[in-house]
């Protein structure tokens, strides 16, 4: 009998890429979403009973922690507790979760600290946990598309725009997750931290590549730290979320987010391919 894998966030970038990779390899997918979807399972991550039912009977699951309003610790700790309780109650043998570089740190990383907590809570359930720690997504460029198309600028929330940083395509993340979910291992009870690596680009290089894709010149604007919060809120980001993002940007700029783990998988998709897809969307 073919194994079934439960996938949260199946309508998003990473969950969708994971589901596609699994289906391409002829595995069965149980998509989990807060909203009804054809052939999927409806379950809110905060609804422990519904999530337990969605995980029941699956050979493995992919879990991710969304950033949800009101963007407080309490809201995310509620989700973390519900997800851990559902994993324990369902007895699912293997969970792959999306984490991040910097999740080894308990504080000082903005929203990444919640991934640190989720990693630890899931390990404590007794399931075999594979934590996939990712660097920057190439698709983060979506957040600046309006500014690029409208004002012709590429804003950078960092101290400068010329330091190369790894940026991975979500399709590569999905393929890595599918690989880990379906991989047979002799140590069926061993939890691991898998670090993702990828081609490195400076923000200025990304801006230049985006300008080429859009067919218009872009000016790279480096936003000073003291203006990060106001710039975000002026752009429509809720104040509490802006506070979390400022802490994240600062941790990144201060080189706190490092690739620490047990082994590494390297993505290969170049930024140009991702930009073509993102700008067509």
């Amino acid at each position: 009998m073919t194994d079934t894998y439960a996938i949260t966030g199946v309508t998003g970038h990473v969950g969708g890429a994971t589901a596609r990779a699994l289906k391409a390899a002829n595995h069965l997918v149980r998509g989990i979403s807060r909203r009804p979807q054809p052939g999927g399972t409806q379950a809110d991550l905060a609804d422990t009973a519904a999530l337990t039912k969605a995980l029941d009977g699956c050979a493995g699951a992919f879990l991710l922690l969304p950033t949800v309003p009101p963007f407080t610790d309490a809201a995310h700790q509620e989700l973390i507790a519900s997800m851990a309780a559902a994993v324990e109650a369902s007895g699912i043998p293997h969970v792959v979760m999306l984490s991040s570089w910097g999740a080894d740190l308990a504080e000082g990383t903005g929203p990444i600290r919640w991934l640190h907590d989720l990693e630890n809570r899931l390990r404590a359930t007794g399931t075999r946990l594979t934590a996939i720690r990712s660097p920057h997504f190439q698709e983060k460029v979506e957040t600046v598309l309006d500014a690029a198309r409208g004002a012709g600028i590429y804003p950078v929330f960092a101290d400068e725009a010329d330091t190369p940083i790894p940026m991975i395509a979500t399709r590569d993340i999905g393929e890595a997750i599918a690989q880990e979910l379906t991989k047979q291992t002799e140590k069926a009870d061993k939890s691991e931290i898998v670090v993702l690596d990828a081609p490195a680009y400076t923000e200025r290089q990304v801006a230049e590549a985006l300008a080429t894709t859009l067919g218009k010149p872009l000016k790279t604007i480096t936003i000073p730290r003291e203006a990060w919060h106001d710039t975000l809120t002026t752009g429509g980001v809720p104040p509490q979320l802006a506070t979390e993002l400022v802490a994240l940007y600062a941790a990144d700029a201060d080189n706190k987010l490092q690739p620490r783990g047990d082994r590494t998988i390297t993505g290969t998709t170049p930024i140009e391919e991702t930009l073509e897809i993102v700008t067509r969307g």
Side-chain angles (χ1 to χ4, degrees):
M1 184 176 179
T2 303
D3 287 332
T4 298
Y5 297 94
I7 308 298
T8 59
V10 72
T11 59
H13 280 311
V14 177
T18 301
R20 289 190 294 273
L22 287 169
K23 290 176 180 178
N26 297 316
H27 294 288
L28 298 178
V29 170
R30 182 181 298 170
I32 301 174
S33 174
R34 287 179 297 171
R35 296 179 297 276
Q37 54 169 323
T41 298
Q42 187 177 3
D44 191 300
L45 296 179
D47 186 338
T48 305
L51 185 57
T52 300
K53 184 177 180 181
L55 299 179
D56 188 49
C58 291
F62 166 62
L63 298 181
L64 55 74
L65 181 66
T67 304
V68 297
F71 311 109
T72 59
D73 271 313
H76 292 87
Q77 292 300 333
E78 178 185 2
L79 289 181
I80 290 168
S82 176
M83 293 164 74
V87 166
E88 187 167 14
S90 69
I92 195 163
H94 184 204
V95 170
V96 177
M97 68 159 281
L98 180 64
S99 191
S100 172
W101 287 23
D104 54 301
L105 303 177
E107 58 185 6
T109 58
I112 293 177
R113 72 185 185 279
W114 298 323
L115 298 175
H116 171 89
D117 293 343
L118 181 59
E119 283 191 17
N120 289 333
R121 290 291 293 271
L122 291 178
R123 286 190 196 97
T125 66
T127 191
R128 176 165 66 93
L129 176 68
T130 304
I132 302 283
R133 290 185 179 171
S134 173
H136 289 251
F137 290 6
Q138 291 180 0
E139 285 81 356
K140 72 176 184 175
V141 75
E142 290 175 336
T143 63
V144 302
L145 275 181
D146 287 346
R149 284 177 167 143
I153 63 171
Y154 184 92
V156 176
F157 291 85
D159 294 331
E160 45 83 22
D162 296 300
T163 298
I165 52 177
M167 300 184 190
I168 192 165
T170 53
R171 76 175 84 172
D172 291 341
I173 302 175
E175 289 174 1
I177 293 166
Q179 173 184 314
E180 293 302 311
L181 276 173
T182 58
K183 184 175 67 176
Q184 300 298 314
T185 176
E186 294 180 0
K187 297 181 178 180
D189 61 342
K190 182 184 178 184
S191 292
E192 285 188 297
I193 297 168
V194 176
V195 172
L196 298 185
D197 201 357
Y201 304 92
T202 69
E203 294 289 0
R204 197 177 307 279
Q205 287 174 325
V206 176
E208 291 169 353
L210 179 59
T212 299
T213 303
L214 293 175
K216 63 178 295 182
L218 295 179
K219 184 177 181 180
T220 301
I221 303 293
T222 302
I223 311 297
R225 292 195 187 202
E226 60 271 17
W228 287 353
H229 194 276
D230 286 348
T231 301
L232 288 167
T233 55
T234 299
V237 177
Q240 183 61 41
L241 178 56
T243 298
E244 295 295 344
L245 292 176
V246 166
L248 172 60
Y249 298 155
D252 196 18
D254 293 338
N255 295 314
K256 291 182 179 180
L257 311 184
Q258 294 298 315
R260 301 184 179 99
D262 300 306
R263 55 189 173 86
T264 300
I265 295 175
T266 301
T268 59
T269 300
I271 189 73
E272 292 80 5
E273 287 187 19
T274 299
L275 293 178
E276 287 288 346
I277 295 170
V278 167
T279 55
R280 289 199 309 264

Short mmCIF file of all heavy atoms in Angstrom, two decimals, residues 37 98 278:
data_model
loop_
_atom_site.label_atom_id
_atom_site.label_comp_id
_atom_site.label_asym_id
_atom_site.label_seq_id
_atom_site.Cartn_x
_atom_site.Cartn_y
_atom_site.Cartn_z
N GLN A 37 -10.59 22.76 0.28
CA GLN A 37 -9.90 22.63 -1.00
C GLN A 37 -10.25 21.28 -1.60
O GLN A 37 -10.49 20.31 -0.87
CB GLN A 37 -8.38 22.74 -0.82
CG GLN A 37 -7.86 21.77 0.21
CD GLN A 37 -6.36 21.67 0.22
OE1 GLN A 37 -5.72 21.72 -0.82
NE2 GLN A 37 -5.79 21.49 1.39
N LEU A 98 9.49 23.01 8.62
CA LEU A 98 10.25 24.10 8.04
C LEU A 98 10.75 25.00 9.15
O LEU A 98 9.97 25.57 9.91
CB LEU A 98 9.39 24.91 7.07
CG LEU A 98 10.10 26.09 6.40
CD1 LEU A 98 11.25 25.62 5.53
CD2 LEU A 98 9.11 26.92 5.58
N VAL A 278 7.97 34.60 -10.43
CA VAL A 278 7.34 35.54 -9.49
C VAL A 278 6.71 36.73 -10.24
O VAL A 278 5.60 37.16 -9.92
CB VAL A 278 8.38 36.04 -8.47
CG1 VAL A 278 7.85 37.24 -7.70
CG2 VAL A 278 8.72 34.92 -7.50
#
